[in-house]
C-alpha cells in the first residue's frame, strides 16, 4: 500500500467486511461468488491490503444485504501528520 492514505482506516474497513461476512455465515468463497469478485480480492480487502473502489463497496453491501453505511460503522483513526 505504498502511497496510500489512511492505511489504518482501510484496515478497519476490511475488518468490518470480515465481521459482516461472518455474521451472515458466508465464507470468503461464497461472498466472492455473490459479488462476482475473485476470492483473493476478498481476502485482500479483508486484510486491508488494498484501497477498494466505490463500485466494489456497493457490490459488497448488496451481497452482504446491508446498507453501504453499515460497512463504514467503525471509529476512524486520528489523521496522520
Amino acid at each position: 500500500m505504498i502511497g496510500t492514505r489512511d492505511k489504518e482506516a482501510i484496515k478497519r474497513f476490511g475488518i468490518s467486511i470480515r465481521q459482516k461476512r461472518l455474521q451472515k455465515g458466508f465464507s470468503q468463497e461464497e461472498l466472492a461468488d455473490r459479488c462476482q469478485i475473485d476470492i483473493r480480492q476478498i481476502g485482500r480487502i479483508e486484510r486491508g491490503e488494498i484501497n477498494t473502489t466505490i463500485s466494489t463497496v456497493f457490490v459488497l453491501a448488496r451481497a452482504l444485504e446491508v446498507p453501504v453505511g453499515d460497512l463504514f460503522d467503525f471509529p476512524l483513526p486520528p489523521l496522520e501528520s
Side-chain angles (χ1 to χ4, degrees):
M1 287 195 323
I2 296 172
T4 301
R5 286 189 260 165
D6 253 339
K7 293 177 188 177
E8 185 60 31
I10 292 167
K11 287 182 181 182
R12 291 181 188 198
F13 176 77
I15 291 167
S16 174
I17 295 294
R18 180 180 296 127
Q19 289 172 339
K20 303 282 187 288
R21 175 178 62 77
L22 293 173
Q23 287 170 356
K24 294 287 183 170
F26 298 156
S27 66
Q28 281 188 342
E29 183 176 15
E30 185 173 359
L31 181 57
D33 287 345
R34 292 171 67 95
C35 293
Q36 297 181 336
I37 296 173
D38 189 281
I39 189 171
R40 294 170 295 189
Q41 184 80 343
I42 297 295
R44 287 189 294 267
I45 293 168
E46 288 188 356
R47 290 188 300 274
E49 294 176 354
I50 60 169
N51 187 1
T52 194
T53 65
I54 292 295
S55 60
T56 299
V57 171
F58 291 143
V59 169
L60 287 165
R62 285 193 294 270
L64 291 166
E65 301 169 341
V66 298
V68 171
D70 284 6
L71 301 180
F72 295 95
D73 189 17
F74 54 86
L76 288 175
L79 287 175
E80 298 173 6
S81 33

